[in-house]
Amino acid sequence: MPPREADRNDRLERLFLLGPAALAAEIVWLATGGFGCGLTPDSVQFLACAKSLASGGGWVRVEGAPFVEWAPLLPGWLALGTKLGDAPLALARITEALAAAGITWAIGLWTSRAARSRLAGLVAALAVALSLPLLHASAHLWSDAPFLCFALLGVLGLGDARARPAWRTVAIAALWAALAALTRYLGVTLIAAGALALATQRRWKHALGYTFLSLLPLALWLARNAALTGTATGVREPPGATWPMNLSGFLHGAIDPLVPWPWPGAIKLALLGVLAALAWIVLRRESRDEGAGPLALFVFLYGSAVVIVSSIWGSDAVDVRLALPLSVALCAGALLATAKARGRWVRLALLSLVVLWLGRELVHAREVVTLYRQEGVPGFSDRQWTASPTLARLRSHPPRPPFYSNAPEIAWLALERPVRLSPRAHLFYDERSRVDDLDRFVADLGRDSSATLIWFREVDRRSLVPRDSLARRVTLKPIADLPDGTLDEASR
């Protein structure tokens, strides 16, 4: 029998959206073409774990401790690529570009279905492909873009599961949710959203089955963490920002990059409120048969979890990176509201605004891509750090282990061997909480006889014991004094 008209249209939409998806991948690919993906401390932890896995050393972080603070899928994927002969950084670049394409394709398909408009889906996909938040997250070796790709595919799967009740559709939705949770721990918010979405239809068996299937892989990983370290997700320090700061950061991180005009922050947040209200009205209208509800529920639960967790555990204030799901959802919500607006002139006015915004974002995206290609994506792989004399010295003449550094992740990039953090004076965000790292450091030197201290001048971690204070407790014998750092042999 020929396919139903709805299925035929859905297939056409899927093919139609490959264009914006390819554009998103191309933007990320060009942006990372000069120096590769941007690297931050999290990125280097993924690389260190991948290298350890590929060499048979197990799940180990930069310092040599068990890898528990992050979900396992991204480093596992990079390790698999290494085993197959692909360099981790090369595979990371491909992965982030594909993740950007997947996010663009999924949000375009969601918008097309919810608005029942192929044009709305196309424009939403173009808006996401050109948006700065997506480029920022995908140009770095982070788990954020792959996580959101899996999460949006999971949202689409939930829409299918709600529209066509069957264990097959539920299992597919659970698979995407499981992959999202194995990419970032916050994937549990998608699992919760899916369970609630199915429960609201009084499909209790499907809700329980979905929860079990999607949560089982993560539960096994967390049990492994607890068995190794006594904690499921690592020891967390006190927070560095209050919940009002994190809530403000989450909202501003989502809306500020999407409004490319120098308007006051209060006006941008007011615009966010209007867009959210319009999108919510349309979501409520469409949720019965189009699966629109799971996206709103996921973004709400995700945002709440980000603000709460960041206000309880030690982390930087929430920024554009963590606000990526809300940014993408706002693009979809804006196009959904535009497509459902009543009145020809209203729709024309909104469409004109969208065209103006797309033009501005295209210019901005070209500027950022050019900058990234010339200077590198901000991080440890940009032009400045690539030309680091200290890193060059470590590569050409590696000193003797064990290694300590005020920036272990940067030093690891040159040595690719365990590098421990130099002694702390207090916790990262709480100067009142003193630690005994210095005493342990002195004791370890008595056992190891000596160690290499790698100190980068550009790194300012105020929680660490200053280098001159270390010199008053241990003997620091100079190995090399370089423009951006020093190497010392530390001994008692």
Side-chain angles (χ1 to χ4, degrees):
M1 295 180 62
R4 294 179 302 170
E5 188 65 26
D7 291 339
R8 184 183 294 113
N9 290 336
D10 196 57
R11 291 174 186 174
L12 289 174
E13 289 164 356
R14 292 166 187 258
L15 293 173
F16 197 58
L17 292 168
L18 291 178
L23 174 62
E26 181 68 13
I27 290 174
V28 174
W29 189 258
L30 290 175
T32 55
F35 295 84
C37 290
L39 301 179
T40 64
D42 286 5
S43 310
V44 183
Q45 294 289 358
F46 296 145
L47 289 174
C49 184
K51 178 179 174 60
S52 175
L53 282 171
S55 62
W59 301 87
V60 177
R61 51 180 290 157
V62 164
E63 297 85 351
F67 184 92
V68 298
E69 287 83 359
W70 300 268
L73 188 57
L74 182 55
W77 168 251
L78 296 178
L80 177 62
T82 303
K83 279 288 191 180
L84 296 177
D86 201 357
L89 286 175
L91 180 58
R93 187 181 174 208
I94 296 172
T95 300
E96 295 294 339
L98 290 177
I103 291 169
T104 301
W105 181 87
I107 203 64
L109 183 58
W110 181 91
T111 307
S112 178
R113 289 177 175 179
R116 298 180 182 178
S117 167
R118 194 173 299 164
L119 177 61
L122 174 64
V123 177
L126 286 174
V128 170
L130 295 173
S131 66
L132 178 61
L134 181 63
L135 175 56
H136 175 70
S138 303
H140 287 84
L141 175 49
W142 290 335
S143 59
D144 300 75
F147 159 74
L148 185 56
C149 178
F150 289 136
L152 291 178
L153 292 174
V155 166
L156 290 174
L158 284 169
D160 292 338
R162 297 180 74 193
R164 295 190 290 272
W167 278 110
R168 179 178 177 274
T169 56
V170 171
I172 292 174
L175 172 63
W176 294 123
L179 291 174
L182 288 174
T183 306
R184 282 187 67 195
Y185 290 141
L186 282 171
V188 296
T189 57
L190 175 62
I191 297 174
L196 289 173
L198 293 172
T200 56
Q201 293 184 319
R202 299 184 181 278
R203 292 164 53 189
W204 308 113
K205 290 183 179 180
H206 282 172
L208 290 174
Y210 170 87
T211 303
F212 175 79
L213 292 174
S214 57
L215 199 56
L216 179 60
L218 178 62
L220 294 175
W221 170 257
L222 296 180
R224 168 262 181 193
N225 293 350
L228 279 178
T229 66
T231 173
T233 60
V235 177
R236 308 285 179 163
E237 292 192 4
T242 62
W243 75 264
M245 295 170 58
N246 285 319
L247 178 59
S248 175
F250 183 71
L251 297 176
H252 280 287
I255 192 65
D256 287 353
L258 296 181
V259 183
W261 294 283
W263 298 345
I267 293 179
K268 292 184 177 183
L269 287 181
L271 178 61
L272 169 63
V274 172
L275 288 175
L278 289 174
W280 176 252
I281 292 173
V282 177
L283 289 176
R284 293 289 295 174
R285 183 188 307 165
E286 298 292 328
S287 61
R288 289 185 179 179
D289 56 353
E290 298 297 336
L295 177 62
L297 188 56
F298 160 65
V299 172
F300 173 76
L301 293 177
Y302 170 86
S304 301
V306 164
V307 172
I308 293 171
V309 170
S310 299
S311 304
I312 295 176
W313 288 343
S315 63
D316 295 327
V318 176
D319 59 6
V320 62
R321 171 187 176 185
L322 292 176
L324 177 63
L326 179 57
S327 298
V328 171
L330 285 174
C331 290
L335 267 298
L336 184 58
T338 300
K340 292 297 181 179
R342 297 182 179 180
R344 178 182 177 186
W345 293 109
V346 173
R347 287 196 298 270
L348 286 176
L350 291 174
L351 184 60
S352 299
L353 180 61
V354 169
V355 171
L356 177 64
W357 184 90
L358 286 175
R360 178 66 186 89
E361 285 301 282
L362 177 61
V363 173
H364 195 191
R366 292 184 60 183
E367 293 173 349
V368 174
V369 167
T370 300
L371 177 64
Y372 283 0
R373 288 182 66 85
Q374 293 176 349
E375 301 297 328
V377 182
F380 307 148
S381 61
D382 63 10
R383 182 181 294 277
Q384 175 186 351
W385 282 109
T386 301
S388 166
T390 301
L391 291 180
R393 174 65 170 75
L394 290 173
R395 290 189 181 100
S396 61
H397 298 86
R400 291 189 304 171
F403 305 110
Y404 289 83
S405 176
N406 64 331
E409 299 87 358
I410 302 177
W412 185 92
L413 288 173
L415 298 169
E416 294 195 359
R417 299 182 64 179
V419 184
R420 297 179 227 171
L421 181 66
S422 61
R424 300 170 298 166
H426 54 77
L427 296 181
F428 195 88
Y429 295 108
D430 189 356
E431 296 184 8
R432 297 167 298 179
S433 299
R434 314 299 292 183
V435 295
D436 59 352
D437 281 10
L438 184 54
D439 293 334
R440 288 201 300 267
F441 177 66
V442 174
D444 288 343
L445 286 181
R447 185 188 67 241
D448 298 328
S449 73
S450 67
T452 299
L453 178 65
I454 305 164
W455 201 270
F456 296 95
R457 303 186 201 278
E458 296 296 325
V459 176
D460 181 21
R461 287 186 173 176
R462 298 182 181 180
S463 61
L464 302 183
V465 177
R467 181 171 171 271
D468 55 354
S469 298
L470 286 175
R472 290 194 286 267
R473 288 289 305 273
V474 300
T475 300
L476 296 181
K477 180 181 177 181
I479 299 176
D481 191 359
L482 302 156
D484 66 333
T486 60
L487 306 179
D488 296 289
E489 180 184 324
S491 60
R492 291 182 63 174

